[in-house]
Amino acid sequence: HRDLHSFPTRRSSDLLQYYQVLAVIEQKPDGKWLETHNFGQVYKDQGWARNLVATSPNSLAWSNGTNIWALDFDSGRPAIIWRGGTTNHLLGITYSREKTEFLLNCSDEKDQFLIRFDPGKNWVSNAGRVGDSQHPISNVTWVNGGASYVYNLDDGGTNTFFIKSDMNKPPARLPWPGPVRTLTLAGDHLFVAGSVGGDPAGIYDYNSRTGDFGLVISSVKSPDRKSTRLNSSHANISYA
């Protein structure tokens, strides 16, 4: 098992200047974690890196400004695989190793839009416009091996999840009355790190097939663990 880490450090000669160091830490069969690669300051001429993703056991990618960089462990040299335009902003990326595709969350002077990008085939497809400056989307994530993707839209404190399971049909919509930190989808289960109404923050599980909804892990020591169904007091799933 490997962990890819990009962490800030600082120079002893200048305590106010930070830079990033990229390292790979691998778990050995005995359970110990050892650093197997250290690429040093691969970002030093590129600015701050965001959205670090593993594209294979021996390669990774990250976003920087409007560009996407990739690094193969054998070469140890980063290269640009996606170069954005001057009027477009790259807000986030997610990668499906099964599908070998990136899903890019982008914006321009009008609103936000999603782009599918396969660097191996040099293939690009516009996945449609999804939000605007007043209703931004975030947490765009490939799920279920690249068969679906999910994101949430912030409407002034009330979030709505969009689950795109069929590329030829509109996404399912699930209103969520509370703040959201992050989310992921596994099969029929949508897991959300956040809170609902006045409930404590934690990880919630929503089954889109049965409608069952419950608190999996709470931020408090002795939560009132309950399972219910999303209803008018919580949310209902619908299709746009």
Side-chain angles (χ1 to χ4, degrees), residues 143-144 148-150 163 165 183-191 208:
V143 291
N144 295 333
S148 314
Y149 60 82
V150 60
I163 305 171
S165 300
L183 62 126
T184 189
L185 186 72
D188 297 320
H189 292 264
L190 176 66
F191 296 95
S208 60

Side-chain angles (χ1 to χ4, degrees), residues 11 13 38 51 83 97 102 107 122 130 133 136 140 142 144 156 183 204 222 224 226 230 233:
R11 303 171 182 171
S13 60
N38 191 318
N51 304 302
R83 195 181 296 274
R97 289 169 62 173
F102 287 92
S107 70
N122 197 26
V130 291
S133 60
V140 180
W142 278 122
N144 295 333
L183 62 126
Y204 292 83
S222 301
D224 178 16
K226 55 186 177 181
L230 289 177
S233 65

Side-chain angles (χ1 to χ4, degrees), residues 152-211:
N152 72 282
L153 182 147
D154 186 353
D155 189 11
T158 300
N159 289 276
T160 301
F161 301 138
F162 290 79
I163 305 171
K164 184 77 168 178
S165 300
D166 188 329
M167 299 305 164
N168 297 316
K169 295 181 179 179
R173 300 164 57 100
L174 176 65
W176 190 270
V180 174
R181 293 283 296 178
T182 187
L183 62 126
T184 189
L185 186 72
D188 297 320
H189 292 264
L190 176 66
F191 296 95
V192 180
S195 63
V196 175
D199 293 343
I203 297 176
Y204 292 83
D205 175 14
Y206 171 69
N207 188 320
S208 60
R209 179 176 57 85
T210 65

Side-chain angles (χ1 to χ4, degrees), residues 15-33:
L15 297 181
L16 296 179
Q17 185 169 3
Y18 287 79
Y19 58 90
Q20 285 178 303
V21 173
L22 176 65
V24 179
I25 301 174
E26 185 173 342
Q27 188 177 28
K28 298 300 181 179
D30 61 3
K32 294 182 178 179
W33 290 85

Side-chain angles (χ1 to χ4, degrees), residues 219-231:
S219 59
V220 300
K221 291 184 178 180
S222 301
D224 178 16
R225 296 176 63 87
K226 55 186 177 181
S227 179
T228 182
R229 288 175 178 265
L230 289 177
N231 50 43

Side-chain angles (χ1 to χ4, degrees), residues 30-161:
D30 61 3
K32 294 182 178 179
W33 290 85
L34 297 176
E35 183 178 278
T36 57
H37 297 78
N38 191 318
F39 298 102
Q41 301 177 52
V42 296
Y43 314 120
K44 62 182 179 180
D45 298 323
Q46 307 159 19
W48 204 255
R50 300 179 296 112
N51 304 302
L52 185 68
V53 295
T55 52
S56 80
N58 296 294
S59 60
L60 56 93
W62 62 89
S63 64
N64 168 252
T66 61
N67 301 328
I68 299 177
W69 291 76
L71 174 70
D72 180 83
F73 294 175
D74 293 332
S75 70
R77 294 189 297 272
I80 294 178
I81 59 173
W82 172 272
R83 195 181 296 274
T86 57
T87 60
N88 295 336
H89 300 281
L90 183 59
L91 305 178
I93 64 173
T94 181
Y95 183 77
S96 169
R97 289 169 62 173
E98 296 85 356
K99 207 175 184 67
T100 67
E101 278 187 29
F102 287 92
L103 186 61
L104 282 55
N105 180 10
C106 304
S107 70
D108 55 20
E109 67 280 0
K110 295 181 180 179
D111 46 29
Q112 284 180 259
F113 54 96
L114 300 178
I115 292 177
R116 295 170 59 188
F117 168 50
D118 186 331
K121 300 177 182 178
N122 197 26
W123 175 83
V124 177
S125 176
N126 190 335
R129 300 210 168 243
V130 291
D132 55 46
S133 60
Q134 300 300 317
H135 306 89
I137 70 162
S138 60
N139 296 315
V140 180
T141 308
W142 278 122
V143 291
N144 295 333
S148 314
Y149 60 82
V150 60
Y151 59 89
N152 72 282
L153 182 147
D154 186 353
D155 189 11
T158 300
N159 289 276
T160 301
F161 301 138

